[in-house]
Amino acid sequence: MQLLFNNAIFRHEPYPIGLARPIFDTESYMALVDSFPPIDLLPHWGGEGYHKYALNERMPGYHEYLAEHPLWWAFHTSVKDKKFPEHIISMIRSHGIDIAPSPKWTTRFEFAAMPAEGGKIAPHNDLPSKAVTLVFSILKPGEWDISAGGGLDVLEPLDPKEELRSYHAPLEKFRKAHTFEYHSNQCVIFVRSENSWHSVGPMIGTDRRMRRTITLNIERHDA
């Protein structure tokens, strides 16, 4: 299953972040949408900074689900290949974006969903070990009500000198530099830096729709 990055467009401020759409061929994409794990298989992540459901490779049930769904297993296998991070980093560098080398790269995979009513991920700046994050939207065309929110917000601290804690700093401490709306068959790609703040929501929907995504983290291992 080939990922289509040939049409990716990047912004460079306040940090490198881009969008590729479409990211899958239509047939493969719709098959992935139809076989996304049911929400009752995704544990709830609550607390101050989250209101979402997520299942990753460190959790019970993840590998069992992949084993029962050949298309997801094939996708998982392709992104876990050691050549995949190098391909992504090479693609990003081709857009004039520098990424420091690492002796070893790996890919981490997560299924996630957030309810249209109140779903959120508070402002945060990923750990330094996460060099690149890719967030794929998994929904049918026309399925989502954009008025509910759900886009990925690119944030800038109002006071660059203020020390802010991920998942604890309120939205009022930031301005929204840009929003990547939640649309079907797309991938938001961003490079982690000291100022790569971002968030989702809180969403304001009034129905039971879910913002479904898969997230890939390209992680560096310098030790």
Side-chain angles (χ1 to χ4, degrees):
M1 186 186 309
Q2 185 177 5
L3 296 176
L4 308 175
F5 289 109
N6 56 301
N7 60 353
I9 298 175
F10 279 83
R11 297 168 55 94
H12 292 256
E13 297 294 336
Y15 53 86
I17 184 166
L19 178 73
R21 186 170 66 207
I23 188 66
F24 297 101
D25 69 86
T26 301
E27 182 179 357
S28 297
Y29 178 71
M30 293 307 299
L32 291 173
V33 172
D34 289 339
S35 58
F36 191 87
I39 298 304
D40 59 5
L41 289 184
L42 277 60
H44 181 248
W45 294 31
E48 182 178 353
Y50 294 99
H51 178 23
K52 72 171 189 175
Y53 300 83
L55 178 67
N56 63 46
E57 56 202 64
R58 300 173 182 175
M59 295 179 174
Y62 173 86
H63 290 96
E64 291 82 353
Y65 190 83
L66 293 181
E68 294 172 0
H69 295 83
L71 191 62
W72 279 112
W73 180 258
F75 179 74
H76 174 267
T77 300
S78 67
V79 302
K80 297 294 281 187
D81 187 283
K82 65 179 181 180
K83 294 181 180 179
F84 180 78
E86 297 170 2
H87 169 66
I88 297 300
I89 290 165
S90 176
M91 178 272 295
I92 293 172
R93 285 174 174 160
S94 74
H95 288 268
I97 299 165
D98 185 42
I99 298 179
S102 174
K104 181 180 178 182
W105 302 99
T106 59
T107 305
R108 191 147 54 94
F109 183 116
E110 178 182 272
F111 294 104
M114 283 186 278
E117 185 174 7
K120 69 174 183 178
I121 304 177
H124 61 287
N125 191 17
D126 290 333
L127 296 172
S129 60
K130 294 182 181 180
V132 179
T133 297
L134 302 96
V135 182
F136 298 78
S137 301
I138 305 293
L139 74 156
K140 295 178 180 177
E143 179 181 353
W144 186 255
D145 181 0
I146 293 298
S147 67
L152 190 148
D153 292 324
V154 179
L155 305 177
E156 279 189 293
L158 293 175
D159 182 355
K161 296 181 180 179
E162 183 176 4
E163 292 189 10
L164 300 171
R165 292 177 60 203
S166 288
Y167 306 109
H168 294 276
L171 275 171
E172 291 75 18
K173 294 286 186 178
F174 302 86
R175 79 169 189 92
K176 291 182 183 180
H178 186 72
T179 297
F180 289 93
E181 292 185 339
Y182 178 62
H183 291 293
S184 65
N185 200 2
Q186 70 177 21
C187 178
V188 178
I189 313 129
F190 59 92
V191 178
R192 195 272 175 193
S193 68
E194 291 304 312
N195 66 334
S196 54
W197 291 93
H198 55 285
S199 65
V200 177
M203 291 185 278
I204 56 173
T206 57
D207 57 34
R208 298 178 62 85
R209 276 180 269 204
M210 302 294 289
R211 178 191 185 273
R212 298 187 304 274
T213 59
I214 52 175
T215 299
L216 303 180
N217 293 123
I218 308 299
E219 298 183 318
R220 61 174 67 252
H221 302 267
D222 294 332

